[in-house]
Amino acid sequence: MAKYVMALDAGTTSNRCILFDRSGSMVSVAQKEFRQIFPHPGWVEHDANEIWSTQVGVAVEAMAKVGATAEDIAAIGITNQRETTIVWDRKTGEPVYNAIVWQCRRTSEYADSLREKGLTEVYRQKTGLEIDAYFSATKLRWILDHVEGARERAENGELLFGTVETWLIWNLTKGKVHATDYSNASRTMMFNIHTLEWDREILRELDIPVCMLPEVRSSSEVLGYTDPRLFGAPIAIGGAAGDQQCALFGQTCFEPGDVKNTYGTGGFLLMNTGDQPVMSRNGLVTTIAWGIGGRVTYALEGSIFVAGAAIQWLRDELRLIDSAADSEYMAGKVPDTNGCYVVPAFTGLGAPYWNQYARGTIVGLSRGVNKSHIIRATLESLAYQVNDVLEAMKADSGMLSGRVKVDGGASKNNLLMQLQADISGAEVVRPACVETTALGAAYLAGLAVGFWASRDDVLRNWTEDRSFVPEISGAERQRKIGGWKRAVRCALAWADDSEEEAGRKEPEVHPEAELPETIIAASKNENKIREMEAITRGFGMRVISRRDAGVPEDFDVEEDGETFEENALKKARAIAERTGKPAIADDSGLVVDRLGGRPGVYSARFAGEPCDDEKNNDKLLEEMKGVPRAQRTCRFVSVIALVWPDGREITARGECEGHLLEERRGTGGFGYDPLFLPDGQTETFAQISQEVKNQISHRSRALAELARKLEAMKE
């Protein structure tokens, strides 16, 4: 009878294998580091073959330490550094390029170009993610574009893509299984988390052949069997999931509102949000926690680019400490940071800021600041970043968790854990086994083969090591957080004021890009035309109606785009082509988070044709019936497009956040105005004055953004 479950933990700097028994206790551990490759500043790579060889090597070593055979292993669970991208030859199994690591920023400019196309909301609604070089999609595109012959070979079905778990499964099965799981797929920026399929529209935009993508499977099921030559006999591969999702599972965060934080190379907070995705309005990403038994569980995630890596920086670059453990002793020699703050934005800032050009900074220095203060400020920076994400999670989900489970290497630092409790104002709980990432992978695999009968067995295994509670006052907490916010603004200012050093290129404005004297409005709505005219008049431009421009009344443009940007551009392009003059158009609608972004671009015809505001509101109220206020977040969105006949285009987006009421209020306005309560207001859009509405509405904000862009062109 099998005695263990094997967890293969493929990390960012090392690979490990841990054998767990039925009580969830570690029986054997083997670990080996592998090379970090830095070809250029901001680039990070790994040797994919080295990832495989070290991983299988530590598996054999861990078994040998306790004399285990293949028959003693019930199943293998795999957890991995996510987003890291590998492409290999289907026949030979040889990688065509080094693995591009999640930390790598080489594709930042390409990510910028996707945002400039107005695709941010499309990707967010489909994938739950922000457009960023952090995720797999742009890395895969880079390999196809820069490795000679790669694109042609991929289109011919000769190349395969995978994140690290897919690469390991492929090698463990000797090429018989090319698969990933829902959690890892959701981190690629190519996977639709609502339809649970690779998104064809995104793949077309990125020009990525679907034939090279792996099959997406459950996080807990037998995916295949290892080749018998590896361990002496086949072993079931019982599941796989991304490292942070595995940590959430290993921490037994099975209920909506449960939160865990992992202190690894980066910092990763996840909140279980249940069977419905919560779309973030505060810089977080929506991801899949796991898929088990035909049911998908979602999570909100905040990714901190630099956590444990900041302590490594103290040790390896500044040489202020000899080992990571020294940081606790040195920081404990002083009662505070003496006003010093460290913002470790070495590769930009992650959630909730998502600024890839921000850079690290130390502020608040005075003559009395010594190395212990700097070390303590570095530890505190981890806690501040975690608190930023916790605050965003509370705002998005409406779930107020007063308890955070922690794990990862730095969670062993008692001072850091106390600082975390003080700064976040929450209880911080460390489990007896802090290797929860590997443990989560083991649980997923063990449940698939019956090693553990149910989640109740898993819950019984979880035990607490120590709890930390806040020891400072609320006023002191707010004072400290206020200083941190000022320090972050300094790091962001570097990005804003030093674009050349940060590697960002300003968009070119060609001499011929002069502002037009006359613009044709695509809209038939006189109110919209007057609003647009008020903005453009200050730039010496005159807006005239389509009727005055000779456009027939029956000339209509089908609004069949999937985003507001697509529809606005489509209307403006059609009028510009028809008249030969620059044209301006807008598209707007209501986006409801609980409904996955609906009604969105279908707002006007949500209840079908012909358009009927009353029926649309009735349908929306029915679909949201019984949904609590915390989950009724929504926003009005407006996108304005200005298009020149020669193909030049500008888009500007405006949003107004709010909540959807359970009944109509007010008789003014139109559309969904009676149901929409804007944030910070006590009256709906159908009740507030037109003057106030004009100041805060989505359209006024889009027009303000358009004005800013026109001003930039004018300069």
Side-chain angles (χ1 to χ4, degrees), residues 604-616:
R605 51 192 187 280
F606 188 43
E609 300 283 3
C611 301
D612 187 309
D613 287 350
E614 288 299 308
K615 290 181 179 179
N616 288 338

Side-chain angles (χ1 to χ4, degrees), residues 7 27 30 100 135 146 164 184 236 254 263 291 321 325 394 424 431 518 521 597 626 649 658-659 670 676 704:
V27 175
I100 301 182
F135 304 109
H146 291 84
V164 172
N184 276 295
F254 298 151
Y263 299 87
I321 54 176
K394 291 175 186 177
S424 62
T518 302
E649 299 174 344
H659 279 76
F670 58 93
F676 182 76

Side-chain angles (χ1 to χ4, degrees), residues 25-254:
S25 299
M26 294 189 296
V27 175
S28 180
V29 181
Q31 180 172 353
K32 185 174 178 61
E33 293 188 354
F34 48 80
R35 287 181 301 140
Q36 305 295 301
I37 303 169
F38 307 102
H40 303 285
W43 292 32
V44 189
E45 297 177 359
H46 293 157
D47 181 335
N49 282 325
E50 189 180 4
I51 290 175
W52 162 241
S53 63
T54 55
Q55 188 66 80
V56 73
V58 293
V60 171
E61 182 183 348
M63 292 173 67
K65 284 183 175 181
V66 292
T69 65
E71 287 73 20
D72 294 320
I73 310 298
I76 295 174
I78 301 174
T79 185
N80 55 284
Q81 51 164 311
R82 304 166 303 168
E83 298 98 17
T84 295
T85 298
I86 306 173
V87 176
W88 66 94
D89 187 286
R90 180 190 295 270
K91 291 184 178 178
T92 67
E94 280 299 309
V96 302
Y97 189 80
N98 280 336
I100 301 182
V101 181
W102 58 272
Q103 299 161 312
C104 186
R105 308 305 299 171
R106 76 184 66 189
T107 58
S108 293
E109 288 188 10
Y110 179 62
D112 285 344
S113 72
L114 294 175
R115 284 191 290 271
E116 288 166 3
K117 289 183 178 180
L119 295 173
T120 299
E121 190 63 24
V122 179
Y123 280 55
R124 183 187 293 126
Q125 291 299 328
K126 287 173 175 282
T127 70
L129 308 176
E130 298 288 327
I131 294 177
D132 196 87
Y134 180 59
F135 304 109
S136 309
T138 60
K139 304 178 193 298
L140 175 53
R141 165 71 183 251
W142 188 93
I143 290 175
L144 295 180
D145 286 346
H146 291 84
V147 175
E148 186 176 356
R151 180 168 296 283
E152 182 180 358
R153 292 170 66 192
E155 291 171 350
N156 291 336
E158 298 173 22
L159 300 183
L160 298 176
F161 155 79
T163 41
V164 172
E165 86 295 340
T166 300
W167 170 242
L168 294 177
I169 292 168
W170 170 268
N171 281 285
L172 286 167
T173 62
K174 293 300 181 185
K176 291 181 180 178
V177 180
H178 181 222
T180 186
D181 86 298
Y182 288 120
S183 71
N184 276 295
S186 73
R187 305 296 297 183
T188 62
M189 212 172 77
M190 297 180 286
F191 189 72
N192 191 310
I193 62 173
H194 306 287
T195 65
L196 304 181
E197 297 174 325
W198 297 114
D199 193 280
R200 300 297 179 123
E201 180 187 9
I202 290 176
L203 294 178
R204 282 195 299 272
E205 170 64 36
L206 297 173
D207 198 14
I208 292 173
V210 70
C211 62
M212 69 186 306
L213 305 183
E215 178 187 5
V216 184
R217 306 270 293 273
S218 167
S219 308
S220 180
E221 68 167 286
V222 176
L223 302 169
Y225 293 85
T226 63
D227 186 278
R229 290 170 290 182
L230 291 174
F231 305 112
I235 301 175
I237 302 172
D243 50 8
Q244 302 315 314
Q245 287 91 337
C246 276
L248 190 70
F249 200 87
Q251 286 276 33
T252 66
C253 293
F254 298 151

Side-chain angles (χ1 to χ4, degrees), residues 13 25 31 62 111 119 142 164 280 310 316 330 345 370 396 554 639:
T13 59
S25 299
Q31 180 172 353
L119 295 173
W142 188 93
V164 172
S280 177
D316 300 337
M330 294 297 294
N370 60 38
D396 281 334
D554 60 356
V639 173

Side-chain angles (χ1 to χ4, degrees), residues 345-361:
F346 304 140
T347 56
L349 284 171
Y353 305 101
W354 288 106
N355 189 315
Q356 58 195 4
Y357 300 107
R359 287 297 176 265
T361 185

Side-chain angles (χ1 to χ4, degrees), residues 484-534:
W484 165 254
K485 297 291 186 184
R486 291 195 300 275
V488 168
R489 287 197 292 272
C490 293
L492 295 173
W494 179 269
D496 292 337
D497 297 337
S498 301
E499 291 166 352
E500 182 178 348
E501 290 86 349
R504 177 160 54 181
K505 294 181 179 178
E506 282 294 321
E508 295 182 25
V509 178
H510 298 288
E512 65 268 25
E514 297 176 355
L515 300 181
E517 293 181 1
T518 302
I519 304 174
I520 314 301
S523 176
K524 299 178 185 179
N525 187 314
E526 294 297 329
N527 290 327
K528 288 185 180 181
I529 295 173
R530 280 194 292 271
E531 287 180 341
M532 293 175 181
E533 188 172 26

